[in-house]
Structure formats: structure tokens, C-alpha cells
Amino acid sequence: MSGSGHRAGLHALVEGRVQGVGFRASTVDAARRLGLGGWVRNLPDGRVELKAWGDQAALAQLREWLRQGPPFARVDRLDCVDAEPETTMRFELRR
């Protein structure tokens, strides 16, 4: 994979109707399409947490996608901070 930008990382917490609506699986699909590595999981408090890394432009696209989520989700709040990128380029769903 030839990246067009610098590698970066993103840590995000998503609040709203984001569990039980395919949010995690859709996030995995979106991140893999963008060529990002990382993971996504449900939190006990109803939020979804994810960490992604890769090309800065791809991370920006993922951040925009997270503002909406999949069709049946409702995103009320999205908190994103920069994170240290890791080396693995697989994006996975964690339980």
C-alpha cells in the first residue's frame, strides 16, 4: 500500500443509538475500505470505542463517516483525539 500522507492514529468514542444497529460491523467495513488498521468495540455504558491508524486523509474520511454511522444508527456525540499509530494494518471487531 502506498500512502499519500503521513501515518497517524485516531481514538474515538461514539455516543447515541450505536449498539445493536450494526455500527461496529459497518465501521469495520468502512475502515477496511479506507485501508486503515485498528479495532472497534462496544462499551458497557452504551458507547462504541474505536482506535484506527493509517493515512491521515483516510482517517479524516473515517471521522466524517463516524459522524453519521450506518443507516439505523443515531450519533449524538463523537469525541476524537489523536493517538499513536500502531503497526498492524488489520481492522478488527472486538467484543
Side-chain angles (χ1 to χ4, degrees), residues 31-69:
R32 287 180 178 171
R33 272 196 313 276
L34 291 166
L36 297 170
W39 51 263
V40 61
R41 67 181 175 185
N42 284 340
L43 293 177
D45 65 6
R47 295 180 297 170
V48 168
E49 177 184 29
L50 70 102
K51 189 169 179 190
W53 49 84
D55 182 78
Q56 281 182 332
L59 286 171
Q61 290 178 56
L62 180 64
R63 185 179 285 136
E64 285 305 310
W65 183 88
L66 289 170
R67 290 185 202 286
Q68 293 291 136

